[in-house]
Amino acid sequence: MAYVMNQACNPQALAEQEFATPTGLLDYAITTTLNSCIGVAVRVGNRFMVAHLVMYGQQIPYVSPANLQIFNPADADTVFAYIDSLRLQENSANFDEAILFGATDEWRNTGGALTNGYNRLRDLIRQRNNNQPPVSNDTGDGKHIIRIQGGNLNIRNIG
């Protein structure tokens, strides 16, 4: 089974299991509310990609809601393949910046498959982030706005 990721129709309403690479006049993204979710943002040059990850995500093939599995290392591999596409599109050896945000403390400290999945995602990002782990900010519940400001990723909880 594979964790589902979908390209967002609206980067200013980035829902669970969606990713986006904002461009043009609306060069920012806003997640829907991150309760127990996390976001991951990576930057290469003046472009970034952001993904909204959920603990219990839909899979391919379809799984009934009662049987959803918790995010795990195999799911981390799927998510990383999507976010790494930005690096490949930009023909870069590494990300310039990577940040995990939202309920990162919960994902990091729960244990079991969830923590293993979170750690796997961190390790995969580190390999393409000049061997540096991504910044991990427990920004809590709420919607988050993500943009590049002053050449760096800026992520802010907007409630």
Side-chain angles (χ1 to χ4, degrees):
M1 292 196 301
Y3 189 82
V4 174
M5 290 299 296
N6 294 299
Q7 187 163 4
C9 293
N10 181 358
Q12 285 74 47
L14 190 68
E16 294 178 346
Q17 293 184 262
E18 289 187 342
F19 66 95
T21 307
T23 58
L25 292 174
L26 300 176
D27 60 350
Y28 63 94
I30 298 175
T31 66
T32 56
T33 302
L34 302 180
N35 288 324
S36 59
C37 300
I38 64 170
V40 57
V42 295
R43 179 181 63 81
V44 177
N46 62 359
R47 294 186 68 213
F48 73 97
M49 179 179 283
V50 62
H52 181 161
L53 309 181
V54 63
M55 253 188 221
Y56 289 93
Q58 192 45 255
Q59 306 280 320
I60 296 175
Y62 176 80
V63 177
S64 70
N67 295 318
L68 292 176
Q69 297 178 353
I70 200 159
F71 190 89
N72 61 59
D75 299 336
D77 290 342
T78 299
V79 168
F80 182 76
Y82 281 94
I83 64 171
D84 195 40
S85 67
L86 176 66
R87 181 189 62 82
L88 297 171
Q89 289 168 14
E90 295 298 307
N91 199 28
S92 178
N94 291 294
F95 300 127
D96 292 321
E97 189 175 8
I99 300 174
L100 294 165
F101 59 97
T104 57
D105 287 351
E106 185 174 357
W107 285 49
R108 183 176 40 237
N109 298 321
T110 296
L114 181 63
T115 298
N116 291 339
Y118 178 84
N119 289 336
R120 173 71 177 161
L121 183 59
R122 286 186 77 238
D123 289 345
L124 290 167
I125 293 169
R126 180 187 47 76
Q127 292 171 21
R128 292 291 183 238
N129 196 41
N130 293 307
N131 211 29
Q132 298 297 311
V135 172
S136 182
N137 291 328
D138 192 83
T139 54
D141 292 354
K143 295 179 181 179
H144 291 70
I145 186 168
I146 305 96
R147 64 178 70 175
I148 296 175
Q149 290 182 313
N152 295 308
L153 283 171
N154 180 284
I155 299 170
R156 187 169 49 95
N157 186 327
I158 58 173

